[in-house]
Amino acid sequence: MNAAKSVLSKVDLTGKTALVVGGTAGIGQGIAIQLAQLNANVVLAGRNAKAAQDIIKGFPNSNSHSFEKVDFSLLKDTRRFANEVKQKYKHVDYLVITAGIMRMTGRQETEEGIDDKMAVHYYSRARLILDLIPAMKKGSRVLSVLAAAQGSLVTETDFDLKNSYSVYNASQACPLYNDLLVDKLSTLYPDVVFFHALPGMVKTNLIEGLPWYLRIPTKLMTPFATTIEDCGAYMCSGFLAPERSSGYYLLGPKGEVVEKLKVHTDELRDKVYQHTLDLID
C-alpha cells in the first residue's frame, strides 16, 4: 500500500472529470472514493440512484459530484448515456468501467440478442469507450476493470458464444477480449492511454449472487480479501501513474504491470475488434 500511496501523493485531479460506470458499489465505489479524494469531479453511473447519492454525501466537496443512470446490459441505453454525458460534461478526462454481473446460470439474452453478462463485461464497454472518445483530450485515460491477462480463447468461429455459451466460457472470453480491446484502441487513438486491470479478491457484495455452495467457501476467504478502499487506491495508482503516459497497460491487483497472454496476438486482436464493431453497430 505504501507504493500506491506514494504514487497517489503526486496526483492532483482538480478540475478533471472522472466517470465511473459501476461506481455505486464494490470496486467501482472504492475507485470513485479515491478519485474524489484526489479532487476529481466524479460522475457515478449505474442503476441505483439512492446508493450513488449516499456515496456522494461522503465525498469531499459533495456538490461537485453527480449521478447518471444507465442500464449497461443494453447497447442502446449505453449509447443514450454516452450522448448525454457528452452534452452535460463536455469532456471526460478519466473513464473507469467496473460494472459486473455475478451470475452462474446459462446464457440470458437481452432484447438485443446479446448475453447480458457478456454485454456488461465487454460489448457495452467497447461501445461506451468508442462513443466517448470524441469527448477525451490528449492524456485522457480509460480503465476497464475485469480480469487482465486471465482469459483464454474459447473459439474463433463464435466470438459472442451464441452457440458455445457457458459460464466458464464467458469468464474466459471476456477478459481476453478486454485485453485485446485496450491494445487495439491504443493503436487507433494514441492520445488516450488505455488500461485493463485484475483487482484480485475484493470484499464486495457480488458474492451474494453466487449459489450457496460457492458463496460459503468464498465468504470464508473474505478475511484475506482487499477492502474496496484499498483496491481503489491500488487501481488508481496503477492507471494514474504519470510514467504510464501512452499506449496500453495490463494491471495486476496492486496496480503493477503484468505481461499479456501468449494467445494475445495482433492477428487475434484485429479479428476480435472487427467482430466487436460488427456486433455493437
Side-chain angles (χ1 to χ4, degrees), residues 96-129:
V96 178
I97 308 174
T98 68
I101 294 179
M102 184 68 79
R103 177 173 57 70
M104 304 303 290
T105 53
R107 183 180 178 91
Q108 293 187 18
E109 289 192 357
T110 68
E111 62 191 65
E112 297 171 330
I114 305 171
D115 174 67
D116 61 351
K117 192 178 180 99
M118 296 188 73
V120 171
H121 290 174
Y122 177 65
Y123 292 108
S124 286
R125 297 180 185 221
R127 180 71 276 164
L128 181 62
I129 295 169

Side-chain angles (χ1 to χ4, degrees), residues 12-254:
D12 183 4
L13 304 183
T14 300
K16 304 293 186 181
T17 298
L19 173 60
V20 185
V21 180
T24 58
I27 294 167
Q29 179 181 348
I31 293 174
I33 290 170
Q34 187 63 63
L35 291 170
Q37 291 174 349
L38 295 172
N39 302 316
N41 299 320
V42 177
V43 181
L44 294 182
R47 292 181 294 181
N48 193 332
K50 175 65 167 58
Q53 291 161 2
D54 290 343
I55 293 167
I56 288 172
K57 287 177 184 176
F59 287 171
N61 303 314
S62 59
N63 290 335
S64 64
H65 312 291
S66 57
F67 168 73
E68 300 293 338
K69 192 167 186 176
V70 61
D71 182 348
F72 211 51
S73 69
L74 293 174
L75 293 172
K76 66 179 182 181
D77 201 54
T78 300
R79 300 213 79 171
R80 173 205 57 79
F81 165 70
N83 288 331
E84 290 188 3
V85 166
K86 286 185 287 188
Q87 291 171 8
K88 293 178 68 171
Y89 302 98
K90 306 306 179 186
H91 64 271
V92 175
D93 300 289
Y94 303 99
L95 171 60
V96 178
I97 308 174
T98 68
I101 294 179
M102 184 68 79
R103 177 173 57 70
M104 304 303 290
T105 53
R107 183 180 178 91
Q108 293 187 18
E109 289 192 357
T110 68
E111 62 191 65
E112 297 171 330
I114 305 171
D115 174 67
D116 61 351
K117 192 178 180 99
M118 296 188 73
V120 171
H121 290 174
Y122 177 65
Y123 292 108
S124 286
R125 297 180 185 221
R127 180 71 276 164
L128 181 62
I129 295 169
L130 288 170
D131 283 352
L132 289 181
I133 284 288
M136 294 183 186
K137 301 177 180 178
K138 183 177 177 63
S140 293
R141 299 183 179 221
V142 175
L143 170 65
S144 179
V145 178
L146 188 63
Q150 294 295 301
S152 64
L153 178 62
V154 176
T155 171
E156 285 194 49
T157 59
D158 185 29
F159 282 129
D160 64 342
L161 308 183
K162 194 88 170 177
N163 303 304
S164 51
Y165 186 89
S166 69
V167 171
Y168 176 77
N169 284 351
S171 73
Q172 293 301 297
C174 290
L176 176 61
Y177 296 173
N178 274 271
D179 286 355
L180 300 172
L181 179 68
V182 296
D183 179 356
K184 183 63 178 181
L185 292 178
S186 73
T187 68
L188 298 174
Y189 305 100
D191 286 346
V192 180
V193 194
F194 296 91
F195 300 82
H196 177 210
L198 165 72
M201 183 177 289
V202 183
K203 295 178 183 177
T204 74
N205 59 8
L206 276 178
I207 62 172
E208 298 303 326
L210 294 172
W212 67 268
Y213 53 86
L214 292 176
R215 187 165 62 249
I216 292 174
T218 301
K219 284 187 174 182
L220 292 175
M221 296 296 292
T222 54
F224 307 99
T226 306
T227 65
I228 62 170
E229 291 81 7
D230 284 349
C231 178
Y234 286 132
M235 294 293 97
C236 284
S237 70
F239 97 104
L240 295 176
E243 67 273 16
R244 296 170 188 169
S245 58
S246 63
Y248 81 97
Y249 301 86
L250 306 180
L251 304 178
K254 299 294 179 66

